[in-house]
Amino acid sequence: MSIEPPTTTKDIRAAIAKIPRVSLACLPTPLQEAKQLSKALGGPRIFVKRDDLTGVAFGGNKTRNLEFRLAAARASAADTIVMELDQQSNSARQTVGCCNRLGKKTILILEGSEPECIQGNLLVDHLLGAEVRFASSRSEQRRMSREAVAKERAAGRAPCLLNDIPMFDEGSAIAYLECACEIVEALEAQGLVPDCIYMSSSGKGQAGLILAQQLLAGFQVRGITATSEFDIPPRGAEIANRAARTLGLDVSVSPVQIINDDSFVGEKYGIPSEAGNDAVRLFARTEGIVLDPVYTGKAAAGMIEHIRRGDFGSKDIVVFVHTGGTPAIFAYNHLWLECQIEKKGGKTP
Ligand SMILES: *Cc1c(COP(=O)(O)O)cnc(C)c1O
């Protein structure tokens, strides 16, 4: 049965409830008003959706989609999860944490050579007890993950290569459709409605916010990407439509409806930008909220620029989704210490 838009968060939640899922995240995450940040910017009312507090190993947005992806892995009775990712991957960290909670072993095949200093997400991966291996190239990474799967199987275990579970895109969209419901419900309880929701996304999570926008009507969604790897509007629309079909929701999204700004990537993915780092400092110093320099700092830089150029009135309600990534700050420690240490006549580490 399909649901005609406009609908309610209750209808959407009922559709999501039909999807196989394991409970991993602490939901709903808090929605906090950022009054000092708003004051500092002379801007609209700003609310931060604290998805950095999803509750597993420093939290983040991936814990939400892992509830769907690991349900699919569990259906195949896997006891070992193999994952191909990057060295400072938030996704890797959250996957290992979630697998620990489900009693599964994790093998991470990470691209790049082993760094001298093990910091940030990689440090947490080790702490969580993942088996970590390094691959010199993408093709080597593929080969090594196939080999790991074959070896585990030969040892009598039941491995699953999580990259091959097709729920990553759709799981993220469904997860962020639900996150949008949480935002709308939390504001509704205060007699408010959102005008605009900002989120760092290369399409997957944003697809869910767009579905919510279509189904609930009213608010704008502005994605800001941390990578130039994708043509996001068609990718986001395709993921949104696939998720809508899975959920039996009668709604369709076209690429022109997806607003995603790629002008805050800076040099490239994984390289912090000045505007992004300024945003990290501003959130920290006004709200005590720690963003990260790879994703959320750059997204916040976009929101800040839009507020400063006057996109919003003082009564508008702007929501910033903090997608997590916090442990990455430790891998970029020099960025935060430089000026302070120089002032004291010390050395930059
Ligand atoms: C992975 C990640 C994103 C991007 O999520 P999408 O799936 O592209 O929507 C944003 N922020 C952080 C911190 C992430 O780890």
Side-chain angles (χ1 to χ4, degrees):
M1 210 180 68
S2 64
I3 300 167
E4 298 283 339
T7 180
T8 63
T9 59
K10 211 170 144 230
D11 294 334
I12 296 172
R13 285 183 177 281
I16 295 173
K18 293 181 188 139
I19 309 294
R21 179 174 190 168
V22 288
S23 171
L24 294 164
C26 301
L27 302 178
T29 55
L31 183 74
Q32 285 178 341
E33 183 159 16
K35 288 189 176 165
Q36 300 304 321
L37 177 63
S38 169
K39 204 165 124 192
L41 294 170
R45 290 181 72 176
I46 302 168
F47 289 78
V48 182
K49 178 63 172 165
R50 299 296 304 273
D51 270 16
D52 56 320
L53 302 179
T54 47
V56 179
F58 295 105
N61 61 340
K62 305 303 186 297
T63 302
R64 283 189 188 265
N65 71 45
L66 281 160
E67 293 200 337
F68 301 106
R69 294 161 71 205
L70 288 174
R74 184 187 253 182
S76 70
D79 58 16
T80 304
I81 302 295
V82 181
M83 203 45 192
E84 296 172 19
L85 281 160
D86 305 322
Q87 284 193 17
Q88 279 302 332
S89 165
N90 300 310
S91 191
R93 162 179 48 84
Q94 290 165 80
T95 302
V96 185
C98 289
C99 286
N100 286 357
R101 287 196 56 194
L102 298 176
K104 296 181 196 302
K105 170 181 165 179
T106 325
I107 302 175
L108 295 177
I109 316 284
L110 305 178
E111 199 189 347
S113 53
E114 186 166 3
E116 247 170 63
C117 178
I118 295 184
Q119 252 302 3
N121 283 305
L122 185 57
L123 174 67
V124 184
D125 294 341
H126 281 288
L127 183 65
L128 294 168
E131 227 178 277
V132 181
R133 297 173 197 163
F134 296 92
S136 56
S137 64
R138 289 252 175 211
S139 55
E140 177 67 1
Q141 193 177 28
R142 270 270 109 169
R143 192 197 62 72
M144 283 174 70
S145 66
R146 303 282 160 198
E147 186 184 82
V149 166
K151 267 196 179 151
E152 290 297 311
R153 199 168 282 139
R157 300 179 61 87
C160 165
L161 182 54
L162 202 61
N163 298 68
D164 288 347
I165 300 253
M167 273 306 268
F168 199 0
D169 294 351
E170 250 175 277
S172 300
I174 294 168
Y176 276 84
L177 173 59
E178 182 172 271
C179 178
C181 290
E182 291 176 14
I183 292 169
V184 168
E185 287 163 355
L187 287 173
E188 205 168 58
Q190 303 178 54
L192 303 172
V193 290
D195 293 296
C196 184
I197 302 179
Y198 279 90
M199 178 166 148
S200 171
S201 179
S202 59
K204 301 192 292 292
Q206 189 176 355
L209 297 186
I210 293 285
L211 284 176
Q213 177 202 54
Q214 300 292 302
L215 292 162
L216 300 168
F219 53 87
Q220 247 190 47
V221 174
R222 295 188 185 178
I224 300 191
T225 182
T227 170
S228 312
E229 191 184 338
F230 307 104
D231 185 5
I232 293 172
R235 167 178 154 94
E238 190 271 320
I239 296 170
N241 290 329
R242 205 155 17 105
R245 269 196 305 278
T246 300
L247 292 168
L249 296 170
D250 189 15
V251 59
S252 96
V253 174
S254 72
V256 291
Q257 292 170 304
I258 303 213
I259 302 171
N260 190 291
D261 193 336
D262 65 356
S263 58
F264 294 89
V265 173
E267 196 182 322
K268 65 175 191 175
Y269 172 75
I271 308 284
S273 68
E274 211 172 298
N277 298 344
D278 285 346
V280 174
R281 285 192 196 88
L282 186 65
F283 266 67
R285 289 167 190 197
T286 54
E287 295 296 335
I289 292 175
V290 181
L291 301 178
D292 81 290
V294 177
Y295 291 97
T296 53
K298 289 178 179 179
M303 178 185 75
I304 289 165
E305 188 180 297
H306 294 174
I307 289 174
R308 285 193 171 134
R309 76 182 182 200
D311 282 15
F312 304 103
S314 63
K315 292 205 171 65
D316 284 349
I317 307 286
V318 173
V319 178
F320 179 82
V321 182
H322 185 341
T323 46
T326 316
I329 61 159
F330 302 109
Y332 295 93
N333 55 345
H334 53 286
L335 290 179
W336 323 116
L337 292 173
E338 242 162 31
C339 19
Q340 276 89 343
I341 289 178
E342 268 163 23
K343 255 186 247 158
K344 289 183 196 135
K347 264 193 166 164
T348 305

